[in-house]
Amino acid sequence: KTYIGLHHSDYGGGMPQLALIDHWHKGRGFNRSLMGYYVGYGFVIEKSGQVIQTRTEEEENCQSNQKTQRKKWGKIDFNKVGIGICLAGDFSKEDPTDAQVTSLARLIFDLQERHGIPDDNVLLHCEMKDTSCPVKDLRALAFGQRKKFLQQELDQSINALRWAKADRHAML
């Protein structure tokens, strides 16, 4: 896979939404995945931050109902070359939860590492077709969170080096 597509469910209810999305997508005629879901995305992130994989990464997604012609990318069938991630919630009325943003950042980073997907190929649904989905810039939120993770790791490494240096001097 060479792209990641970011979506929101466009439903603001507080309950877990996987079953609801599965029901909606079954009604739209989406094929059943090898994992047993009709959900068109590869992953759903609930408001709690729980990540549920709904399609194998090799399977075709059902995240964009048209081949998209964009000057930047040419004509691309994002269902074939993309992995869709849907966050539960209606982001025209609410923000994603901190837990969702944290899970999204980790999932994007993991998928990018395993598939060699560059940052420029992490797209909002509205960049794949004419829609307002996902309303919020989930990419910017996830990349901002990833930057925090990397800074925390760097700070921890620096502190470990300082302690090692202090221990070495104490031994002398």
Side-chain angles (χ1 to χ4, degrees):
K1 301 289 181 158
T2 56
Y3 288 87
I4 296 171
L6 304 178
H7 308 259
H8 74 140
S9 66
D10 199 23
Y11 180 74
M15 68 204 178
Q17 295 185 14
L18 176 63
L20 186 62
I21 297 167
D22 196 50
H23 177 75
W24 288 339
H25 286 190
K26 182 178 181 183
R28 292 180 62 191
F30 291 2
N31 63 315
R32 188 174 181 174
S33 75
L34 296 173
M35 301 185 88
Y37 296 100
Y38 292 94
V39 174
Y41 317 108
F43 296 88
V44 172
I45 302 178
E46 295 285 3
K47 291 183 178 186
S48 66
Q50 179 188 13
V51 176
I52 303 107
Q53 185 171 0
T54 54
R55 291 185 176 269
T56 67
E57 291 173 25
E58 295 76 27
E59 280 184 271
E60 189 170 317
N61 282 220
C62 305
Q63 60 177 322
S64 182
N65 62 1
Q66 62 191 26
K67 287 187 175 90
T68 304
Q69 177 71 42
R70 300 279 195 224
K71 284 184 181 180
K72 183 174 179 179
W73 304 293
K75 192 164 189 169
I76 296 173
D77 186 343
F78 288 107
N79 292 330
K80 290 184 179 174
V81 299
I83 298 171
I85 303 172
C86 178
L87 278 69
D90 178 356
F91 300 146
S92 67
K93 299 176 182 163
E94 61 188 323
D95 290 330
T97 66
D98 290 342
Q100 282 179 305
V101 174
T102 297
S103 293
L104 178 63
R106 288 187 172 133
L107 179 57
I108 289 173
F109 185 72
D110 178 56
L111 292 170
Q112 286 183 292
E113 288 289 304
R114 289 189 289 112
H115 293 276
I117 300 171
D119 286 353
D120 287 347
N121 287 11
V122 177
L123 306 176
L124 305 175
H125 189 198
C126 60
E127 294 173 315
M128 295 186 281
K129 68 176 270 187
D130 292 328
T131 178
S132 62
C133 177
V135 182
K136 305 280 187 209
D137 189 346
L138 300 177
R139 177 182 46 227
L141 293 172
F143 287 177
Q145 185 64 45
R146 180 176 67 188
K147 186 176 178 182
K148 289 178 189 174
F149 292 153
L150 294 173
Q151 186 61 52
Q152 288 171 351
E153 288 178 16
L154 180 61
D155 291 346
Q156 290 171 354
S157 296
I158 290 170
N159 286 335
L161 288 172
R162 285 180 182 150
W163 281 106
K165 186 177 178 182
D167 287 346
R168 191 176 59 220
H169 284 317
M171 289 184 194
L172 298 176

